[in-house]
Amino acid sequence: KIITMTHYILNHFFATVILITLLSLVPAYGNGSSSQVKQREILTKLLKSHNDSVGRYDRRLRPDAGGDPVVVNVTMHIVNMGPISEFEMSFALTLYLRQYWYDERLQYSHLVEPPLPKSIVLNSEFALQIWMPDSFFHSETKSYIHDVTAKNMFFRLHPDGKILMSFRATVKNGCDMNLKDYPMDIQTCQLRIASYGYTSDDMVYQWTEVIPGARDAITISDKVTLANFKRINHTYEYFERNLSTGNWPTLRAKFTFGRNTLYFIIQMYVPSTLIVMLSWVSFWVGQSSIPARASLGITAVLTILTLIDSTNSNMPKISYMKAIDLYYAGCFIFVFASLIEFAAVCYLEQEVVKRKNVEGRKMNYKPVYQNKEDDQPMASFTMTQPLDPVSPWQRLRNRVLQNHPVPQERSTPFLRDFSVSKIDQFSRIFFPVTFFTLMTVYWIIYWPQYVEGKNK
């Protein structure tokens, strides 16, 4: 009996211990449920419709309506850049945009008993229930908020009424480009964020550091790379646009890009230079090889025109010359001049041959008379003079030649002593020296300012 009693007591003791342990776990689980209940209770109390008899929140009105303007703090993190299009004069960004502001109507520190939730995280549906800034990208042409697998937006509500709104978006924004130095140009593109309906009397923006003390409200991922450009720097500022409807708060971010020129040197400058040099080969081809020289010159001209067309097909229709247009124009002039030189050589060669063929021929015609001693023209004959036995045709010919003598054709001393090969010999030196001199001036003008702008 004693042993049985002992077992009975021990069994009840262990059962009691297990029960107490389980009961001790109930408050912990209850706290979790309590936190969820508290958050639901907070949202219910905060977001009662303005139509409710006990309602307190009206999303149509900004915080502190009629009082001081709402301060919206903005930070931006860029995860991708590009493409940058010269044809559309635009650039694209994929970014995280975060906006902070205070709404005293959403303070919940006094609504429930402590402990309070440090913050309440809400999804994009929360945007339909509260007031939020009507920010928009001023010069955007196409933009969207990502929605795979869910809409990339969230809100974070703090006890003091501070609200954080963050979303991930891709923005295609216009960029006013100056292409005079293309492809050795430095471009600055702007991204402006403004309020659509609130003037500075109701809302102002403020750039805020992503990390306190970092002194940079815009951060760019280290993995961001661009195909044809290199990021130089970025700046940001706040200003107000003065319009007839009021002063509108605006944030502006400037991104400076320097174009990578290696691609353009390989694809544009080197081929056009080689085509010009190829046109000089005709200076070493004999004057008699007309088909070879003609085909070489025409091929070079058409190739330069093809390069010009392929380059400008991807560029906007602008009314000023670009740096590459100036280079192409110089190449075209030299190629076309080589073709003109060939035509001049052929023409002068024919003229020289023609002059040599008539060299020594003298077309000095004299009237024909019956007697050598008779030098009187037929116009001086009288009826008292005897008629010469000259035929009527000869008599008419003598009269015409007497009144209109035929000039003697003489060969020009310049063409008689000139050698056409001297033109080719002169061109072999003049064309290369002139071309490379002008190209040196071209690179001296454009390259230093490009390097200086890229190293800023």
Side-chain angles (χ1 to χ4, degrees):
K1 291 181 178 180
I2 295 173
I3 295 174
T4 302
M5 184 62 68
T6 304
H7 282 291
Y8 178 78
I9 294 172
L10 290 175
N11 289 336
H12 281 72
F13 174 76
F14 286 115
T16 303
V17 171
I18 293 173
L19 180 60
I20 294 172
T21 303
L22 292 175
L23 291 175
S24 65
L25 296 176
V26 172
Y29 175 78
N31 286 340
S33 300
S34 176
S35 176
Q36 184 177 2
V37 170
K38 282 184 178 181
Q39 292 187 21
R40 186 182 301 112
E41 181 182 357
I42 290 170
L43 293 177
T44 301
K45 291 181 178 180
L46 289 176
L47 302 177
K48 281 184 178 293
S49 172
H50 63 279
N51 294 323
D52 296 341
S53 58
V54 294
R56 57 177 280 114
Y57 192 87
D58 190 347
R59 64 184 298 268
R60 297 173 299 176
L61 301 176
R62 69 172 180 86
D64 194 17
D68 295 333
V70 181
V71 179
V72 180
N73 299 278
V74 178
T75 65
M76 185 187 303
H77 178 67
I78 299 173
V79 296
N80 190 26
M81 277 187 173
I84 300 176
S85 173
E86 298 86 7
F87 184 79
E88 297 180 350
M89 287 200 174
S90 64
F91 74 110
L93 297 172
T94 300
L95 51 86
Y96 292 95
L97 186 66
R98 305 181 183 96
Q99 300 180 79
Y100 307 81
W101 70 94
Y102 284 89
D103 192 341
E104 295 179 354
R105 298 171 295 177
L106 297 179
Q107 293 179 0
Y108 61 82
S109 57
H110 60 285
L111 295 180
V112 294
E113 297 295 332
L116 297 173
K118 292 183 178 180
S119 63
I120 301 176
V121 179
L122 303 163
N123 60 18
S124 59
E125 295 181 1
F126 189 60
L128 302 176
Q129 304 178 29
I130 66 168
W131 178 91
M132 54 186 295
D134 58 345
S135 304
F136 76 103
F137 296 100
H138 188 269
S139 301
E140 64 94 12
T141 57
K142 183 180 180 181
S143 61
Y144 59 91
I145 296 178
H146 295 261
D147 55 2
V148 179
T149 57
K151 193 170 184 179
N152 297 176
M153 174 186 289
F154 78 90
F155 293 84
R156 186 174 294 162
L157 180 61
H158 295 268
D160 57 354
K162 178 182 178 181
I163 303 173
L164 162 65
M165 180 182 69
S166 176
F167 62 83
R168 185 170 73 101
T170 293
V171 180
K172 185 178 181 181
N173 200 72
C175 180
D176 296 330
M177 298 184 181
N178 186 345
L179 300 174
K180 288 184 178 180
D181 296 332
Y182 177 88
M184 292 175 285
D185 53 335
I186 306 295
Q187 300 296 341
T188 299
C189 298
Q190 298 184 12
L191 181 68
R192 290 190 288 178
I193 303 173
S195 172
Y196 190 81
Y198 293 101
T199 63
S200 57
D201 295 332
D202 295 313
M203 189 174 73
V204 294
Y205 287 103
Q206 179 177 316
W207 287 108
T208 303
E209 293 80 5
V210 177
I211 301 175
R215 297 182 181 180
D216 200 349
I218 300 176
T219 57
I220 302 177
S221 174
D222 295 335
K223 297 182 180 180
V224 172
T225 57
L226 295 168
N228 292 332
F229 288 88
K230 175 186 176 182
R231 287 188 296 108
I232 298 177
N233 57 35
H234 66 273
T235 59
Y236 50 86
E237 62 180 347
Y238 169 80
F239 70 101
E240 296 181 0
R241 292 180 297 131
N242 298 320
L243 302 178
S244 60
T245 52
N247 298 330
W248 299 89
T250 307
L251 294 176
R252 177 165 54 196
K254 294 182 180 180
F255 303 93
T256 303
F257 306 98
R259 195 180 301 273
N260 296 325
T261 57
L262 181 60
Y263 169 83
F264 301 95
I265 291 175
I266 296 175
Q267 297 293 328
M268 298 179 183
Y269 286 100
V270 172
S272 57
T273 303
L274 292 178
I275 292 170
V276 174
M277 297 174 66
L278 180 64
S279 67
W280 300 338
V281 175
S282 62
F283 302 151
W284 279 266
V285 179
Q287 292 87 359
S288 59
S289 303
I290 295 178
R293 297 189 67 167
S295 60
L296 186 61
I298 295 174
T299 301
V301 170
L302 294 178
T303 307
I304 285 291
L305 292 176
T306 303
L307 277 176
I308 295 174
D309 181 70
S310 63
T311 300
N312 291 326
S313 62
N314 297 322
M315 302 297 294
K317 309 303 180 183
I318 54 180
S319 59
Y320 53 85
M321 288 191 65
K322 305 180 291 293
I324 189 64
D325 294 336
L326 186 61
Y327 193 90
Y328 278 154
C331 294
F332 179 80
I333 290 173
F334 274 88
V335 170
F336 191 74
S338 300
L339 187 61
I340 296 300
E341 187 269 353
F342 157 69
V345 167
C346 291
Y347 173 77
L348 293 176
E349 179 71 16
Q350 294 177 358
E351 288 296 316
V352 169
V353 172
K354 181 179 178 181
R355 296 296 180 178
K356 288 182 178 180
N357 288 337
V358 299
E359 185 75 22
R361 295 182 181 179
K362 297 182 179 179
M363 301 178 64
N364 187 13
Y365 297 96
K366 295 182 179 181
V368 179
Y369 301 99
Q370 179 65 26
N371 299 319
K372 293 183 180 180
E373 293 80 5
D374 188 4
D375 293 333
Q376 298 294 327
M378 294 184 64
S380 62
F381 290 172
T382 61
M383 294 299 296
T384 60
Q385 293 176 327
L387 295 176
D388 294 331
V390 180
S391 65
W393 180 88
Q394 289 178 337
R395 190 179 299 111
L396 178 62
R397 176 178 177 272
N398 292 340
R399 182 176 298 178
V400 171
L401 292 177
Q402 182 68 25
N403 296 329
H404 303 284
V406 177
Q408 181 180 1
E409 185 175 358
R410 299 177 181 177
S411 60
T412 305
F414 171 76
L415 292 177
R416 185 174 62 248
D417 301 331
F418 179 74
S419 176
V420 178
S421 61
K422 292 181 180 180
I423 299 179
D424 285 338
Q425 294 174 2
F426 174 77
S427 300
R428 294 170 191 173
I429 300 174
F430 174 78
F431 275 75
V433 170
T434 307
F435 177 77
F436 286 113
T437 300
L438 294 177
M439 293 305 104
T440 301
V441 173
Y442 173 89
W443 288 106
I444 289 176
I445 292 174
Y446 284 100
W447 188 255
Q449 65 181 14
Y450 165 74
V451 174
E452 181 181 358
K454 199 171 182 180
N455 291 333
K456 285 184 179 179

